[in-house]
Amino acid sequence: MASKFMKISFISVLLPWLTIQDLIGFMDAKSIPCRTSCGDIPITYPFGIDDGCGSPYYRHLFVCSNSGQLELRTPSGRYPIRNISYSDPHILVTDPFMWNCRDGADFRPTRPFSLDTSTHFTLSTQNDYLFFNCSESNVIMEPKPMFCERFPEQCDSTCDVSSYLCRHLPECASALRGSSCCSYYPKATESLRLMLKHCASYTSVYWRNLGITPPFNQIPEYGIRVDFEIPVTTRCLRCQDTAKSGGICGFDTETQNFLCLCEKGNVTTFCKDRSNSHTRSGVVAGTATAVSVAGALGIGAGIWFLRKARAKAPVTQGVQSNENRLF
């Protein structure tokens, strides 16, 4: 550790524009493994916190804060993740802007939650959306069964005032104190925005599976369930096989091609394949390498160039625009 900081001190004299974080970053870049958890939430394939870990389909979408809070990055913001299930692939997200029981009839300004449709995330059909104090002159508020019988062609456009959840609000049945409630499933972000123009607030309720025999196998809880796909390939399965490899599935951060991340380097097949001569180190974790002064100068120049380029580039946070995105 002492030798590391001696090198940092020496390099910082040569490269005064670098911060301590930059220096420690490139000293440790080749010795930090893919993190397997954030707080108490396990992180495994297809996800990754560190760039190059997991599947490129989910690159830059997860953030682990300094306090150990895992967050999902979407076009509408960053949202705390409560849980990840890999057996029934979904994540549970909380939105601090949505209505909750503590708000009661005090409706705070909110914003519509949205997902980037270019990712492999989808909103679960197990979500229900409740809207509060909507304008009856702008929103069709009717008991859905009766409305659908009278106007079957407009059935999807009604906000159901007789929904089970409005009559049995989870955790706080009497919290609204006379305010109106109706249930509506938005088909797209734009329809959600339109609803929020004419409603005081909204919240999302998902149905958590208890893993028992029906009919009482689900209970409603506040939050947003987001389903995801697990892209499975033969190369990834061989890479993860503890008997043959024991590696971690990842990808080249430049080409996004598959890499098996191993202790002694990153390969394109699996860790114990002796015939594989294509070894890539330094893309992610797996190889501890000393940093020479010449290498530091090259890295320092690269960081300086990237900073100049980033100062001129628009900030996208790794996701696409919020405009015209399906809900």
Side-chain angles (χ1 to χ4, degrees):
M1 181 64 70
S3 62
K4 177 194 291 186
F5 284 98
M6 286 177 65
K7 289 177 183 177
I8 289 176
S9 299
F10 179 69
I11 295 169
S12 64
V13 173
L14 297 177
L15 306 173
W17 63 85
L18 295 182
T19 66
I20 291 297
Q21 287 74 18
D22 290 332
L23 294 170
I24 293 175
F26 71 70
M27 292 291 289
D28 286 345
K30 297 181 181 180
S31 60
I32 300 175
C34 295
R35 283 173 284 179
T36 57
S37 66
C38 177
D40 59 355
I41 299 178
I43 305 296
T44 185
Y45 186 83
F47 301 139
I49 302 170
D50 306 291
D51 197 14
C53 299
S55 167
Y57 290 143
Y58 301 104
R59 187 180 187 183
H60 301 318
L61 295 182
F62 288 88
V63 179
C64 187
S65 69
N66 293 334
S67 61
Q69 173 66 63
L70 185 64
E71 296 177 321
L72 174 66
R73 179 186 283 136
T74 83
S76 54
R78 281 166 50 166
Y79 301 90
I81 294 175
R82 184 187 306 167
N83 184 37
I84 300 179
S85 170
Y86 296 95
S87 56
D88 175 19
H90 71 272
I91 65 176
L92 296 177
V93 176
T94 59
D95 182 356
F97 285 87
M98 285 185 176
W99 180 89
N100 60 64
C101 286
R102 293 187 301 274
D103 292 335
D106 180 19
F107 300 111
R108 298 171 291 122
T110 187
R111 63 185 180 189
F113 175 86
S114 66
L115 288 174
D116 188 339
T117 55
S118 68
T119 66
H120 288 235
F121 284 130
T122 56
L123 278 171
S124 173
T125 55
Q126 295 185 36
N127 294 324
D128 278 313
Y129 300 90
L130 305 180
F131 294 83
F132 307 113
N133 276 10
C134 298
S135 166
E136 294 188 23
S137 59
N138 298 106
V139 177
I140 302 174
M141 298 173 61
E142 295 271 356
K144 191 160 188 174
M146 296 172 56
F147 183 82
C148 291
E149 286 182 10
R150 289 182 289 134
F151 308 102
E153 70 284 355
Q154 300 181 50
C155 185
D156 287 341
S157 63
T158 183
C159 195
D160 185 9
V161 295
S162 64
S163 72
Y164 171 84
L165 291 175
C166 278
R167 291 180 288 112
H168 304 85
L169 270 177
E171 303 174 17
C172 50
S174 59
L176 294 180
R177 297 193 296 274
S179 300
S180 66
C181 170
C182 61
S183 176
Y184 174 73
Y185 192 95
K187 300 299 182 184
T189 299
E190 190 56 37
S191 63
L192 177 58
R193 290 197 191 104
L194 288 173
M195 285 291 290
L196 288 177
K197 281 185 178 180
H198 306 297
C199 301
S201 187
Y202 87 118
T203 193
S204 172
V205 177
Y206 74 95
W207 291 86
R208 180 166 68 88
N209 195 321
L210 298 176
I212 59 177
T213 305
F216 304 109
N217 65 336
Q218 291 182 326
I219 60 171
E221 292 186 358
Y222 294 104
I224 307 168
R225 171 172 165 146
V226 178
D227 295 336
F228 64 88
E229 301 172 16
I230 301 180
V232 178
T233 65
T234 302
R235 287 185 298 179
C236 184
L237 292 174
R238 292 176 73 191
C239 173
Q240 291 179 323
D241 189 334
T242 54
K244 293 182 178 180
S245 176
I248 298 173
C249 297
F251 58 92
D252 188 310
T253 56
E254 295 178 2
T255 65
Q256 298 196 22
N257 292 332
F258 172 81
L259 282 181
C260 184
L261 312 180
C262 313
E263 277 189 25
K264 297 183 179 180
N266 306 324
V267 297
T268 56
T269 54
F270 56 93
C271 296
K272 297 181 181 179
D273 181 7
R274 299 181 182 275
S275 64
N276 187 351
S277 59
H278 181 72
T279 301
R280 295 289 303 274
S281 62
V283 177
V284 198
T287 306
T289 306
V291 179
S292 66
V293 173
L297 287 169
I299 295 171
I303 294 175
W304 177 82
F305 175 79
L306 285 174
R307 284 185 171 174
K308 296 290 285 183
R310 285 175 181 169
K312 298 178 181 179
V315 177
T316 62
Q317 294 187 328
V319 295
Q320 297 189 33
S321 169
N322 197 22
E323 295 303 316
N324 301 319
R325 287 293 173 196
L326 293 179
F327 182 74

